[in-house]
Every structure is written in C-alpha cells, then in structure tokens.
C-alpha cells in the first residue's frame, strides 16, 4: 500500500463482542470531557439553540434525536468547533474549544458531517489518508504510524479491498464506510457523526451502526451521533438526548427517556412504546390516522 503524504490532511480491529473497554481495562487514556454551557447558536438573526447545557458522557455512545430543524446538527457542529457560538461556550477538557489551536482540537475531536463529498477521482486510500492531517507537521511528514493507522482504519471498516477504488464509484454503503474510515484514521478519542445512516438501505444502516459500537467497545471512544430513527437510537445509544426547538427536553438512558409522552412532545406523534423483543430497549410504534389514530375529519358537505 503506497502512502500519499501530500493528500493526508481509529482504528479498531473486528469486534470481539466483549463489554465496552474502559481506560483502566485497555491502557488507553481517559477520553477528554466535552460539554456545552449556556450555549446560544445562531444563523444570522435566527436563533437555533438558546441557553443549552450539555455534558457528553465520556466513553459512551450518545444519540441526539428530535424533529427536523430542532437544532441537532447545529449543536453537533458547535461541539466540533465548526460553528462559533453567539454566547456561551463549548469546553474541551475544561477549556473553551474555540480558543484552542485547530490542530490540537483535530487530534481530540473528529466529525463526519452530513452527506460529505469527495473530490472527483479521489481514491479510498487517499480519502482515508486525509484523516492523518492533524498528525502532520512541516518536520514530520508521512510516517510508519500514519501508514499503520490508515491500514487499521480500512480493516476496521471492512473496505481494505476497496483501497484503490475511486470514492465516486462506490455504492452508498461503501462510500459511507470510507468516510467513517477517514474519521477512524484520525484516531480521535471523540467522534461526532451527523446522520451517518442517511440515504443507506436497512442492511447498510445496521452495518454502520454496528461499526460505531465496535469503535466504542474497542477503546472506550466517546461517540455522539445524530439519528432520525428512534428505534435505532434506542438500540445503539447508551445515552439519548432529546431536543425540541433548540433546547434539550430530556436525556438519559433510552429506557428512561423514550416514552409515549416524550415522543408526543418532541415529534407531535402519538405512539405506543413497548419493549424491543431482541434487546429490551424501547420500541416506538407510531399511531397514524389509518392505524388507530384520531379519526380523519369528515368531508365538508353542501
């Protein structure tokens, strides 16, 4: 495998099914703390998030859920330092993240945004190699450690055989794995994923979410994801954060957070919540007008 230092901008082996590793178990350092305090986020004059406080559980998988335009992705962008707060702060290990050097943040926090686009003709190995950019300096270019990180990331995501394929020739599921491999190669202890299953069929959605669990279990990596599917959120999250209109309305373990009342408040949807027969986690069964919901209004008559 030929390195590509001019294109370079974690790695986990296959899962073993064991319990999530802790720093004490694995010998890896504790993940950094990530929190938001009195966070206010705006786009121009429009306030999207206002007065939000959040402590991200270290070493856990957190999933942010909520209706469209409630501020989920905006919050994730702020946690990744891609969006400056109008007021309040995001803190990484107790220091305001926007005051820290870019390279330092990039070594601690990785993000996969929605629907990323690769330059035309870029190969998978070149894309994954870009994840090593935070580890490059003018006196330290491509190294054996970079090569090992890229190889391990390709193996962890199951795309080693695709290394020399152009990204734009891959299927949707393969392409999403390639982008996740780039984030894995960055070897950050915190990984932020914005709707990583969007546009994927069910099989590839499960593959991607299983991969996220593998990465978390391998070394206690902190993961924060935005997901639309409530049942997948319940299955894969250790911690659920429910948002509405730019505020957190509930958070905690899925069994305590996802209730029929919460779904009605956040999504304006009536539902039944029962236990998932496979996992025991909450299973949300929405109620529509044609399946036990309120009767449709009668047609107007003359």
């Amino acid at each position: 495998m030929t390195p590509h230092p001019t294109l370079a901008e974690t790695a986990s082996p296959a899962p073993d099914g064991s319990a999530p590793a802790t720093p004490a178990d694995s010998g890896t350092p504790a993940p950094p703390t990530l929190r938001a305090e009195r966070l206010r986020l705006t786009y121009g004059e429009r306030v999207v998030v206002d007065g939000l406080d959040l402590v991200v559980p270290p070493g856990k998988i957190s999933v942010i859920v909520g209706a469209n335009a409630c501020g989920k992705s905006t919050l994730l962008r702020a946690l990744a330092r891609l969006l400056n707060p109008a007021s309040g702060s995001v803190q990484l290990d107790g220091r305001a993240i926007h005051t820290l050097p870019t390279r330092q943040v990039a070594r601690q926090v990785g993000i996969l945004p929605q629907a990323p686009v690769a330059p035309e003709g870029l190969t998978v190995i070149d894309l994954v190699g870009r994840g090593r950019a935070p580890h490059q300096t003018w006196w330290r270019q491509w190294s054996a450690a970079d090569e090992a990180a890229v190889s391990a990331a390709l193996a962890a995501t199951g795309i080693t055989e695709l290394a020399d394929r152009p990204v734009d020739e891959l299927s949707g599921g393969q392409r999403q794995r390639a982008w996740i491999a780039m984030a894995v190669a960055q070897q950050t202890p915190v990984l932020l994923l914005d709707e990583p299953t969007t546009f994927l069929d069910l099989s590839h959605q499960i593959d991607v979410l299983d991969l996220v669990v593998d990465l978390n279990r391998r070394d206690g990596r902190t993961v924060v994801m935005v997901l639309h599917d409530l049942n997948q959120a319940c299955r894969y999250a250790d911690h659920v954060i429910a948002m509405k209109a730019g505020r957190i309305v509930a958070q905690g373990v899925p069994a305590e957070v996802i209730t029929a009342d919460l779904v009605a408040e956040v999504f304006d949807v009536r539902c039944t919540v029962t236990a998932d027969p496979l996992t025991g986690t909450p299973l949300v069964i929405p109620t529509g007008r044609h399946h036990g919901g309120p009767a449709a209004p009668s047609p107007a008559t003359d």
Side-chain angles (χ1 to χ4, degrees):
M1 187 178 300
T2 304
H4 299 266
T6 59
L7 289 173
E9 297 247 280
T10 251
S12 308
D16 59 8
S18 60
T22 65
D25 296 331
S26 63
T28 58
T33 59
L34 185 63
R35 67 172 63 215
E37 293 186 351
R38 300 180 300 279
L39 193 63
R40 189 170 193 262
L41 304 172
T42 62
Y43 290 117
E45 298 296 319
R46 183 168 64 94
V47 177
V48 181
V49 169
D50 195 12
L52 183 144
D53 293 310
L54 172 67
V55 178
V56 175
K60 302 294 185 181
I61 297 175
S62 296
V63 175
I64 306 173
V65 299
N68 288 343
C70 73
K72 304 183 299 295
S73 295
T74 300
L75 172 59
L76 203 72
R77 284 172 53 81
L79 293 176
R81 212 187 73 159
L82 298 180
L83 181 64
N84 290 323
S87 62
S89 67
V90 173
Q91 297 187 11
L92 183 65
D93 272 345
R95 299 177 60 190
I97 196 170
H98 287 87
T99 68
L100 299 175
T102 299
R103 191 178 298 275
Q104 179 180 339
V105 174
R107 289 176 177 174
Q108 296 280 76
V109 180
I111 184 168
L112 179 63
Q114 290 185 42
V117 178
E120 186 176 354
L122 190 75
T123 64
V124 169
I125 192 170
D126 289 335
L127 176 67
V128 178
R130 291 187 172 200
R132 299 303 298 167
H135 304 274
Q136 306 295 313
T137 62
W138 66 268
W139 68 87
R140 180 195 176 280
Q141 295 299 312
W142 194 266
S143 69
D146 297 317
E147 182 74 12
V150 169
S151 296
L154 292 169
T157 51
I159 57 171
T160 300
E161 71 281 2
L162 303 176
D164 296 320
R165 289 270 302 278
V167 175
D168 51 14
E169 292 183 5
L170 302 180
S171 69
Q174 292 171 331
R175 190 178 301 117
Q176 192 72 332
R177 281 179 168 267
W179 282 103
I180 292 176
M182 185 190 73
V184 169
Q186 195 172 333
Q187 292 185 322
T188 58
V190 178
L191 185 58
L192 310 178
L193 304 171
D194 194 355
E195 300 185 26
T197 59
T198 299
F199 307 125
L200 300 183
D201 61 33
L202 184 58
S203 173
H204 286 112
Q205 289 177 30
I206 299 304
D207 284 347
V208 166
L209 293 172
D210 282 346
L211 172 61
V212 170
V213 174
D214 296 341
L215 298 175
N216 169 260
R217 288 182 174 181
R218 170 63 173 83
D219 52 16
R221 186 184 315 232
T222 300
V223 179
V224 183
M225 290 189 288
V226 170
L227 291 179
H228 278 294
D229 189 309
L230 277 179
N231 293 327
Q232 289 182 349
C234 290
R235 275 193 172 190
Y236 287 92
D238 301 307
H239 187 83
V240 170
I241 302 161
M243 292 185 64
K244 179 181 180 180
R247 297 179 181 273
I248 295 174
V249 297
Q251 61 178 313
V253 297
E256 296 176 358
V257 172
I258 304 301
T259 64
D261 288 343
L262 184 281
V263 174
E265 177 184 0
V266 171
F267 294 94
D268 194 24
V269 171
R270 294 178 58 195
C271 72
T272 296
V273 177
T274 187
D276 186 309
L278 293 180
T279 63
T281 53
L283 179 66
V284 177
I285 304 172
T287 303
R289 290 188 296 105
H290 299 289
H291 302 91
S298 300
T301 58
D302 295 330

